Amino acid sequence: GVCAFTESHTKTMNWIIWEVLNSVGLEDRVLSLKKFIQTIKALLELNNYNSAIAITEALCSPAIIRLRKSWQMVGPDMYAILNSTRDLLRDKAKKYREKLKSAVPPFIPFIKVWQQDLIELQENSPDIVDGNLINFSKMRSVADVILLLESMQNGYYSLLPLDGVQKYLTGIGNDAYLEENDAINASVALEPAKIVADAVCPWVTTT
């Protein structure tokens, strides 16, 4: 359900931040960043937007995006993949919505976009208009969102399980998590402000 989607998205983000910040040394940290970006690319090819965007949001979090020495070694080509995924959610997720129109199932949506649509409909459109008439325009808009989400359940993935990977991922506990301030402190410990300031990587943006 929706709660499971949200929980999975949040847990993925928290784990990735934890994983990068717990990498041993600069080379290992750069390797982690590259692997996660390669994972984003593979997930997008599978139309798994929920996980691809979760990884993107984690890598663009304040604690990770400030690691400019690491991003300098990742390079602009790899970073461009990350940035293109960020673009999907700009302008009310315009590019993301366009991609889904032509996407062939199966796909796993980033459901937060439609959660926001439903929230805006609920907050900005009354159920009753003109005294005592049902607002059918609002009801149609809500139905459109629900039908779209239902259509995303068509089809299925035919993928071979990787037992080692599944065992590792399912074994990730709640301890693979850092509060935002703790994550920032860990990031600064890895790359102090002086190192960050000296790193030349103008392709990295924080917006």
Side-chain angles (χ1 to χ4, degrees):
V2 174
C3 291
F5 261 98
T6 304
E7 182 180 350
S8 172
H9 187 91
T10 302
K11 186 174 181 179
T12 300
M13 284 182 58
N14 292 338
W15 164 64
I16 288 164
I17 293 170
W18 181 89
E19 189 77 30
V20 173
L21 294 177
N22 279 274
S23 299
V24 180
L26 178 60
E27 290 187 5
D28 192 32
R29 188 160 62 251
V30 171
L31 181 61
S32 292
L33 292 172
K34 287 182 176 180
K35 286 292 185 183
F36 281 128
I37 291 173
Q38 290 168 345
T39 302
I40 290 172
K41 185 177 179 182
L43 289 168
L44 290 176
E45 290 172 354
L46 291 169
N47 291 331
N48 185 345
Y49 292 96
N50 188 60
S51 296
I53 292 172
I55 298 175
T56 300
E57 290 183 337
L59 297 185
C60 294
S61 66
I64 305 301
I65 203 68
R66 67 168 298 281
L67 296 169
R68 296 180 71 87
K69 183 65 174 178
S70 300
W71 287 113
Q72 183 184 46
M73 295 178 66
V74 168
D77 292 341
M78 291 290 288
Y79 186 81
I81 297 172
L82 178 68
N83 213 31
S84 66
T85 311
R86 295 171 78 183
D87 284 343
L88 292 177
L89 299 182
R90 292 192 171 102
D91 299 324
K92 293 189 174 181
K94 181 180 178 181
K95 290 184 178 180
Y96 171 58
R97 296 175 194 270
E98 290 175 351
K99 271 187 171 292
L100 284 188
K101 288 180 182 178
S102 59
V104 177
F107 45 81
I108 302 174
F110 177 51
I111 203 167
K112 187 176 179 181
V113 169
W114 289 283
Q115 282 181 296
Q116 190 60 44
D117 286 349
L118 292 173
I119 290 170
E120 289 181 4
L121 281 169
Q122 183 61 30
E123 292 180 347
N124 301 327
S125 300
D127 293 334
I128 304 297
V129 294
D130 298 331
N132 61 350
L133 299 177
I134 295 174
N135 187 349
F136 281 104
S137 176
K138 174 182 178 178
M139 300 307 163
R140 279 193 295 270
S141 296
V142 171
D144 287 343
V145 173
I146 293 172
L147 289 172
L148 176 63
L149 293 176
E150 286 183 345
S151 72
M152 295 177 186
Q153 299 177 43
N154 297 327
Y156 60 92
Y157 288 101
S158 179
L159 302 173
L160 294 175
L162 297 175
D163 294 337
V165 174
Q166 286 188 330
K167 183 177 180 181
Y168 176 76
L169 292 176
T170 54
I172 297 170
N174 293 329
D175 56 333
Y177 167 75
L178 290 170
E179 294 286 350
E180 185 172 355
N181 286 340
D182 293 334
I184 290 291
N185 290 337
S187 176
V188 172
L190 293 172
E191 294 189 19
K194 178 65 167 64
I195 291 177
V196 170
D198 289 344
V200 179
C201 47
W203 55 86
V204 174
T205 59
T206 57
T207 58

